[in-house]
Amino acid sequence: MRVAIAGAGAVGRSIAGELLENGHEVLLIDKAPSAISVERVPLAEWLLADACEITSLDEAALQRCNVVIAATGDDKVNLVVSLLAKTEYGVPRVVARVNNPKNEWLFNEAWGVDVAVSTPRLMSALVEEAVSVGDLVRLLRFSQGDANLVELTLPPEAALAGTRVGDVDWPEDTSLVTIIRGNRVLTPNREDALEAGDELLFVASPAREEQLEDLLSVRREDAASE
């Protein structure tokens, strides 16, 4: 897979390193000469250019990319790169970094963004995930389809502990995609039984999140007695 990353700062270089380790082809683009540090990510391609300029993106052959990641520290730049990647070059997958949470509402399909990653939101979500059991935590927002990646750790007293996945009446527009159990990552099937302490990852419509949280909450009789 070929991936172009606009922004060769610490975030862009870190993403590039991970993708290269996984065998992908990576191009880093940045207009600041000081950001071109080939020795830090020697296996990547490097391009000194303004990613907001069509001529630069032509030089980068963006039409050959499977994914474009707008990872600069400037939300305006990330939006422009996303829009150009999607509308001018037809890139199938566009991921954009959101630096200021107040701008998150802009990072949607209208601006060519498939997945918006808000660094402050993700950091706060990871903190919540570390301390919250039984509470739904939003990890990522997918612009297409108006859906979120959400996580909930099943508490010991959850009503669904011991219930098979196929026997659960999940809300509409909700999909259980992964069960993390201890050190294992499980692809759920109908016969898998949910266990207390399972970390459940869902792709869900925002409108269904409250239903999902209620479904996975404590046993009704226990809650009523509190």
Side-chain angles (χ1 to χ4, degrees), residues 129 139 149-154 176-188 192-202:
E129 188 273 333
L139 299 177
L149 176 66
V150 300
E151 180 271 346
L152 188 142
T153 299
L154 205 63
L176 174 63
V177 293
T178 303
I179 300 172
I180 300 176
R181 182 174 296 161
N183 294 325
R184 301 175 62 200
V185 178
L186 308 176
T187 301
D192 286 330
L194 300 174
E195 296 182 6
D198 281 352
E199 186 175 351
L200 308 177
L201 296 181
F202 296 88

Side-chain angles (χ1 to χ4, degrees), residues 67-110:
V67 180
V68 165
I69 302 174
T72 78
D74 188 323
D75 285 344
K76 295 187 294 295
V77 171
N78 291 342
L79 285 171
V80 171
V81 171
S82 298
L83 184 62
L84 291 175
K86 183 65 70 174
T87 60
E88 297 296 325
Y89 298 92
V91 177
R93 193 72 165 168
V94 177
V95 180
R97 172 188 176 186
V98 185
N99 297 279
N100 186 339
K102 293 181 180 179
N103 297 329
E104 191 172 359
W105 66 277
L106 287 166
F107 286 73
N108 55 34
E109 188 175 3

Side-chain angles (χ1 to χ4, degrees), residues 30-82:
D30 205 296
K31 67 178 182 179
S34 60
I36 306 299
S37 304
V38 177
E39 68 282 357
R40 294 190 180 186
V41 194
L43 297 180
E45 298 176 46
W46 290 80
L47 178 62
L48 176 61
D50 186 346
C52 292
E53 297 288 341
I54 289 288
T55 53
S56 300
L57 300 182
D58 284 343
E59 186 178 353
L62 221 64
Q63 70 277 2
R64 293 179 44 226
C65 292
N66 306 100
V67 180
V68 165
I69 302 174
T72 78
D74 188 323
D75 285 344
K76 295 187 294 295
V77 171
N78 291 342
L79 285 171
V80 171
V81 171
S82 298

Side-chain angles (χ1 to χ4, degrees), residues 163-167 176 179 186-194:
T163 305
R164 294 187 306 175
V165 170
D167 294 335
L176 174 63
I179 300 172
L186 308 176
T187 301
N189 63 62
R190 293 183 56 83
E191 301 304 315
D192 286 330
L194 300 174

